[in-house]
């Protein structure tokens, strides 16, 4: 049977959930405890906007009917508010699907894709699934190194992924660095900027890649409702780009990829600006609380613009990970990202951070 599988998949593995990847109830069952803080998925611990919950609840009675395949109501609103045309916006089943569709639409076997490292794992996985070659470029001081990316460009380079802010470091590419990349990266190379955590950013030197849409055609921006909007399992992501880029993606999009509940939930959440502000403020406050706890424990960390923090444990992080997990606090061992001394800790509620402080 193995012969049936495309050779490009030989280096890929199915997603095998480990403890930090399991649903909370299953973690509780396995640990035999009622109290669990799941700080491994960068989820919003406060849940969706009440307005989104109400809208999704109302929509349940229509689940027997196929939804609007192109999600026009949501798409038109997002496009209008972001200052682009509806033909410049595509809705997807989370940002993950958009990453896969992007590689499907634009990559041929043998082409090269530049990916900073460490970063979100799906860029390399989707690239390899198409038979293309991920070329990893190390970060510099835990920040994406624009000059190093530009140095790696060859005639075979087809795409560059930039996660801004970056997962797992929480660091940003500044406005100036982004401008340099836009200008110096050849116009035939698709620059994909993943802004999954954009809604949390407060640093004034940050610029969304949206501001470069007019000057660069080969640009795709990825967003999601899974993080600050707290709609992770509603599965709504979206891409913004030049109409020709979006058109290519629309050719490979399964027609009913974004479900009915997700569409109305995302729309209501998008319009609930007060809720978004509240969640951002709470995150900033709780993140400072986490910083203070880490400092008290003499642990260093990378200052973050997101809802997670990369922490240097100054020892093998697996030891600390196991100790926390035993108590019910589930964080991410960054060995997964090639950082065996680090943990990535999602900013939780204040009480979760307090508990972490007591347990560390
Ligand atoms: C940088 C980044 N991009 C994309 C995603 C995927 O998000 P979604 O839930 O929208 O598929 C994540 C999820 O953790 C992420 O960290």
């Amino acid at each position: 049977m193995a012969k049936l599988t495309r050779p490009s998949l030989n280096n890929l593995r199915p997603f095998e959930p480990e403890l930090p990847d399991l649903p909370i109830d299953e973690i509780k069952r396995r640990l035999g405890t009622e109290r669990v803080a799941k700080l491994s998925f960068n989820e919003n611990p406060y849940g969706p906007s009440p307005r989104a919950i109400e809208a999704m609840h109302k929509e349940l009675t229509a689940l027997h009917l196929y939804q609007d395949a192109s999600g026009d109501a949501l798409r038109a609103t997002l496009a209008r508010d972001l200052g682009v045309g509806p033909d410049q916006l595509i809705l997807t089943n989370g940002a993950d699907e958009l990453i896969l569709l992007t590689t499907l639409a634009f990559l041929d076997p043998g082409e090269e894709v530049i990916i900073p490292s460490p970063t979100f794992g799906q860029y390399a996985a989707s690239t390899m699934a198409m038979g293309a070659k991920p070329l990893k470029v190390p970060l510099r001081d835990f920040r994406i190194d624009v000059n190093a990316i530009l140095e790696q460009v060859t005639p075979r380079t087809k795409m560059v992924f930039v996660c801004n802010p970056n997962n797992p470091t929480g660091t940003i590419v500044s406005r100036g660095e982004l401008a340099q990349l836009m200008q110096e990266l050849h116009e035939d190379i698709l620059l994909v900027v993943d802004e999954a955590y954009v809604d949390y950013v407060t640093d004034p030197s940050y610029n969304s890649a949206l501001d470069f849409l007019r000057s660069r055609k080969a640009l795709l921006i990825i967003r999601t409702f899974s993080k600050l909007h707290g709609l992770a399992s509603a599965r709504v992501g979206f891409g913004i780009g030049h109409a020709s880029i979006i058109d290519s993606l629309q050719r490979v999009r399964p027609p009913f990829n974004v479900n009915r509940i997700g569409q109305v939930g995302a729309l209501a959440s998008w319009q609930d600006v007060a809720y978004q502000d509240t969640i951002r403020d709470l995150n900033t406050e709780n993140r400072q609380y986490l910083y203070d706890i880490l400092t008290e424990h003499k642990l260093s960390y990378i200052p973050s613009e997101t809802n997670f923090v990369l922490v240097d444990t100054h020892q093998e992080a697996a030891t600390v990970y196991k100790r926390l997990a035993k108590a019910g606090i589930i964080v991410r061992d960054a060995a997964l990202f090639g950082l065996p001394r680090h943990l990535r800790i999602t900013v939780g509620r204040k009480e979760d951070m307090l508990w972490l402080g007591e347990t560390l």
Side-chain angles (χ1 to χ4, degrees):
M1 290 302 280
K3 277 193 185 155
L4 291 176
T5 304
R6 289 168 46 232
S8 302
L9 306 193
N10 285 348
N11 292 325
L12 296 174
R13 293 216 192 98
F15 180 60
E16 280 166 14
E18 295 186 24
L19 192 69
D21 308 305
L22 297 172
I24 287 193
D25 283 343
E26 179 59 16
I27 296 176
K28 286 180 180 171
R29 201 188 61 78
R30 293 207 188 176
L31 294 177
T33 172
E34 255 317 293
R35 189 176 182 199
V36 163
K38 189 176 173 190
L39 306 175
S40 52
F41 258 26
N42 305 339
E43 292 156 329
N44 165 353
Y46 298 99
S49 142
R51 282 166 62 178
I53 293 174
E54 196 190 332
M56 292 189 288
H57 199 88
K58 275 194 193 144
E59 204 67 17
L60 286 175
T61 54
L63 271 180
H64 58 302
L65 303 171
Y66 280 101
Q67 72 276 32
D68 177 359
S70 47
D72 277 343
L74 175 59
R75 205 156 55 98
T77 300
L78 295 178
R80 187 197 62 214
D81 291 352
L82 295 169
V84 299
D87 59 347
Q88 289 185 269
L89 205 138
I90 183 171
L91 300 177
T92 56
N93 193 266
D96 276 347
E97 187 192 40
L98 181 52
I99 295 164
L100 185 63
L101 294 183
T102 303
T103 59
L104 181 61
F106 295 103
L107 294 180
D108 271 325
E111 291 182 324
E112 290 177 0
V113 177
I114 297 179
I115 303 177
S117 175
T119 194
F120 187 54
Q122 289 308 111
Y123 314 139
S126 297
T127 295
M128 289 194 287
M130 301 306 147
K133 254 176 69 182
L135 238 157
K136 300 203 172 168
V137 176
L139 304 191
R140 191 192 178 102
D141 297 332
F142 296 97
R143 299 185 64 242
I144 288 178
D145 185 346
V146 165
N147 284 313
I149 290 176
L150 291 165
E151 279 164 21
Q152 288 298 322
V153 172
T154 75
R156 289 179 301 283
T157 308
K158 185 68 173 290
M159 196 181 287
V160 173
F161 279 100
V162 168
C163 188
N164 194 26
N166 188 42
N167 179 2
T169 52
T171 51
I172 59 166
V173 171
S174 71
R175 180 184 305 127
E177 291 163 334
L178 199 59
Q180 183 194 353
L181 194 57
M182 297 284 169
Q183 207 160 42
E184 294 182 22
L185 189 68
H186 195 280
E187 60 186 13
D188 290 341
I189 298 171
L190 180 61
L191 176 58
V192 183
V193 184
D194 184 344
E195 297 184 344
Y197 297 95
V198 66
D199 308 299
Y200 287 109
V201 177
T202 54
D203 185 335
S205 78
Y206 180 86
N207 228 126
S208 163
L210 272 177
D211 292 349
F212 295 91
L213 271 179
R214 278 182 215 288
S215 55
R216 187 181 177 88
K217 269 191 187 173
L219 172 64
L220 176 70
I221 298 151
I222 295 180
R223 299 274 183 102
T224 179
F225 282 89
S226 295
K227 302 300 171 183
L228 178 129
H229 287 273
L231 290 169
S233 65
R235 309 303 303 135
V236 188
F238 61 101
I240 314 144
H242 190 270
S244 62
I245 299 291
I246 299 300
D247 179 71
S248 299
L249 291 165
Q250 290 288 14
R251 295 175 196 211
V252 289
R253 179 179 71 87
F256 294 98
N257 61 334
V258 181
N259 72 83
R260 174 182 287 278
I261 305 294
Q263 287 187 26
V264 296
L267 182 54
S269 186
W270 181 262
Q271 291 172 330
D272 193 351
V273 176
Y275 161 83
Q276 294 165 43
D277 290 344
T278 302
I279 299 297
R280 185 180 312 103
D281 289 349
L282 280 167
N283 183 68
T284 306
E285 202 178 301
N286 294 338
R287 191 175 59 207
Q288 183 57 49
Y289 204 64
L290 173 58
Y291 290 165
D292 294 346
I293 287 167
L294 295 170
T295 307
E296 252 171 55
H297 284 83
K298 299 194 171 27
L299 298 175
S300 46
Y301 58 86
I302 312 295
S304 166
E305 286 297 315
T306 65
N307 66 337
F308 56 84
V309 177
L310 189 67
V311 180
D312 188 346
T313 64
H314 307 298
Q315 58 178 299
E316 200 181 349
T319 315
V320 187
Y321 165 83
K322 280 182 201 146
R323 187 154 46 78
L324 293 175
K326 216 166 152 193
I329 301 173
I330 312 299
V331 299
R332 184 67 71 181
D333 182 348
L336 176 85
F337 293 99
L339 299 170
R341 267 184 12 200
H342 289 77
L343 296 174
R344 191 195 66 191
I345 304 180
T346 301
V347 176
R349 278 178 278 222
K350 191 168 178 181
E351 56 265 35
D352 301 326
M353 300 295 92
L354 238 173
W355 187 23
L356 177 75
E358 289 160 4
T359 316
L360 260 173

